[in-house]
């Protein structure tokens, strides 16, 4: 990994974090919990790249844009939502 790759990765991560901060507060809270869960229990590629997290963020932005509550997007069992994501990412 080159220095340029590191800087590019940081730049992308900062843009990702800015998108998260633009979400409504309830979405930010659930996103933070999902992120913690995936970093602990999720597939290795969550820590290597943020494609899974970016997909969740896209879903959250769409739900917020439609005026839905975050639990309408994830379902009431957020852990089950995460487990389903992990299963799908390992296929």
């Amino acid at each position: 990994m080159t220095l340029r790759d590191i800087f590019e990765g940081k730049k992308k991560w900062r843009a990702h974090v800015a998108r998260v901060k633009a979400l409504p507060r309830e979405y930010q809270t659930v996103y933070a919990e999902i992120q913690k869960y995936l970093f602990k229990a999720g597939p290795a590629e969550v820590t290597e790249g943020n494609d899974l997290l970016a997909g969740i963020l896209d879903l959250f932005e769409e739900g917020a844009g439609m005026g839905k509550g975050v639990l309408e997007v994830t379902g009431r069992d957020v852990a089950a939502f995460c487990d389903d994501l992990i299963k799908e990412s390992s296929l």
Side-chain angles (χ1 to χ4, degrees):
M1 179 176 273
T2 67
L3 194 55
R4 176 172 284 187
D5 293 338
I6 293 170
F7 286 133
E8 225 13 75
K10 284 186 176 187
K11 183 178 176 183
K12 286 180 183 179
W13 183 251
R14 286 185 185 123
H16 181 87
V17 170
R19 288 176 59 200
V20 172
K21 289 181 179 181
L23 291 170
R25 178 53 92 196
E26 69 173 344
Y27 277 88
Q28 289 180 40
T29 302
V30 172
Y31 178 88
E33 293 303 315
I34 288 173
Q35 183 181 10
K36 284 184 217 173
Y37 184 87
L38 291 176
F39 282 169
K40 289 180 183 175
E45 59 266 8
V46 171
T47 56
E48 295 168 8
N50 65 358
D51 290 340
L52 185 57
L53 293 174
I56 294 168
L57 183 54
D58 291 342
L59 182 65
F60 278 16
E61 287 174 332
E62 184 178 327
M66 295 172 63
K68 292 182 176 183
V70 69
L71 295 181
E72 291 178 79
V73 175
T74 62
R76 297 203 57 75
D77 189 347
V78 179
F81 173 80
C82 292
D83 290 339
D84 289 343
L85 289 174
I86 292 169
K87 285 178 194 171
E88 288 176 20
S89 72
S90 56
L91 293 177

